[in-house]
C-alpha cells in the first residue's frame, strides 16, 4: 500500500505548529564523473535560515540523501531506516516550449518504504529533472523528520494527559498517535513509545 504524505501532513503541522521543519531548495551543485561517486552541495533553507550540506554517493539521489542524513539523522534516527523502493521520471511533452520538446516539464517521483513496510510517494515537477529530484529528496527528509517530531510531541502530550487524569485528551491523543505511528519509521525511542501504547 502506498501512502501520500498529504494524508497526515495536516495533523503533523497542527501538532508541531511553529516547530514544523519546512525545507526549501535554494541552490544545488552536482559534480559527477562516469563510474565515480556523485558529489553534491545543497543550499537549503528552513524558515528563512539557510544551511549547506554536502554529500556523495552512487548517483544524485544517494548523494543528496547521504548529505541530508549527515545533517539530520543524528537527531532524527528514523531517517536511517527509510529505504528507496521506486524512482520514476515522466515527461509531459504537451508542456514543451521548443519544438524539440527537450524543455518539457518532467515529474520526478520517488517512493520510499518505512521500517513497517509502508510506502510513501513524493513527487516534484519542473523543467529541471535535477532540481525536481533534489526537491523530492528534501520532501522525504522534511516529512520523516516532522513525523518523528510530531509522534514524540503527541506521545508526551498523552503522557501528560494521563498524569492529569484527562480522559477526553487521552482518547484524542491516542487516536492521533495511531495515525502518526503509520508515518514514522523505526528508532529505538519510537519503538519503545509504541510498546507503551499497547
Amino acid at each position: 500500500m502506498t501512502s501520500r504524505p498529504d494524508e497526515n501532513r495536516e495533523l503533523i503541522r497542527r501538532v508541531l505548529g511553529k516547530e514544523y521543519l519546512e525545507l526549501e531548495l535554494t541552490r544545488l551543485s552536482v559534480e559527477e564523473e562516469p563510474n565515480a561517486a556523485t558529489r553534491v552541495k545543497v543550499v537549503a533553507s528552513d524558515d528563512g535560515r539557510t544551511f549547506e550540506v554536502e554529500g556523495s554517493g552512487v548517483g544524485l539521489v544517494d548523494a543528496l540523501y547521504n548529505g541530508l542524513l549527515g545533517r539530520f539523522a543524528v537527531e532524527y534516527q528514523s531517517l536511517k531506516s527509510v529505504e528507496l523502493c521506486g524512482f520514476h521520471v515522466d515527461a509531459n511533452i504537451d508542456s514543451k516550449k521548443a519544438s524539440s520538446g527537450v524543455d518539457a516539464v518532467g515529474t520526478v517521483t520517488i517512493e520510499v518504504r518505512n521500517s513497517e513496510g509502508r510506502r510513501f510517494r513524493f513527487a516534484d515537477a519542473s523543467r529541471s529533472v535535477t532540481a525536481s529530484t533534489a526537491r523530492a529528496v528534501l520532501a522525504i527528509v522534511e516529512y520523516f523528520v516532522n513525523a518523528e517530531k510530531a509522534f514524540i510531541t503527541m506521545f508526551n502530550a498523552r503522557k501528560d494527559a494521563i498524569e492529569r487524569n484527562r480522559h477526553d485528551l487521552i482518547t484524542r491523543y491516542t487516536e492521533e498517535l495511531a495515525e502518526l505511528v503509520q508515518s514514522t519509521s523505526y528508532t529505538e525511542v519510537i519503538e519503545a513509545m509504541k510498546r507503551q501504547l499497547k
Side-chain angles (χ1 to χ4, degrees):
M1 179 179 165
T2 302
S3 299
R4 290 185 344 271
D6 300 348
E7 291 173 3
N8 287 329
R9 189 169 281 137
E10 186 178 318
L11 173 59
I12 292 168
R13 278 187 182 277
R14 185 171 50 75
V15 168
L16 294 178
K18 292 180 180 177
E19 296 301 311
Y20 187 90
L21 173 73
E22 196 153 3
L23 298 176
E24 182 180 345
L25 181 67
T26 305
R27 192 171 61 245
L28 173 67
S29 301
V30 180
E31 184 180 311
E32 193 165 37
E33 297 174 25
N35 304 318
T38 300
R39 287 178 288 288
V40 297
K41 185 184 290 186
V42 178
V43 178
S45 65
D46 165 30
D47 197 26
R49 294 181 304 266
T50 301
F51 64 91
E52 185 176 296
V53 295
E54 293 184 29
S56 63
V58 183
L60 179 61
V61 174
D62 189 40
L64 284 165
Y65 197 68
N66 287 338
L68 291 164
L69 275 180
R71 176 170 175 90
F72 292 104
V74 172
E75 188 172 355
Y76 305 104
Q77 294 286 311
S78 63
L79 289 173
K80 293 179 180 177
S81 64
V82 174
E83 64 178 31
L84 179 75
C85 59
F87 181 85
H88 310 282
V89 179
D90 295 305
N92 178 357
I93 300 303
D94 293 337
S95 68
K96 68 181 182 179
K97 290 182 178 178
S99 60
S100 63
V102 294
D103 64 344
V105 171
T107 300
V108 173
T109 304
I110 301 176
E111 285 190 42
V112 295
R113 183 175 21 244
N114 70 2
S115 60
E116 306 295 318
R118 191 174 179 99
R119 294 167 70 115
F120 297 83
R121 183 176 295 139
F122 298 84
D124 187 84
S126 73
R127 295 188 191 282
S128 169
V129 172
T130 305
S132 285
T133 300
R135 282 191 292 269
V137 172
L138 281 169
I140 292 166
V141 171
E142 177 183 305
Y143 181 76
F144 283 101
V145 164
N146 285 317
E148 183 174 333
K149 285 170 62 174
F151 184 88
I152 292 168
T153 300
M154 185 59 65
F155 180 86
N156 290 330
R158 181 181 177 272
K159 186 176 173 183
D160 178 65
I162 290 169
E163 290 170 2
R164 294 186 298 129
N165 208 23
R166 289 289 309 272
H167 295 289
D168 57 328
L169 294 177
I170 295 168
T171 301
R172 184 178 123 206
Y173 294 161
T174 301
E175 289 170 0
E176 290 176 345
L177 275 167
E179 287 181 49
L180 289 172
V181 77
Q182 297 176 31
S183 300
T184 59
S185 202
Y186 175 82
T187 67
E188 289 180 16
V189 172
I190 297 290
E191 210 50 41
M193 290 177 175
K194 285 182 189 177
R195 284 193 296 274
Q196 290 180 39
L197 292 173
K198 294 178 182 174

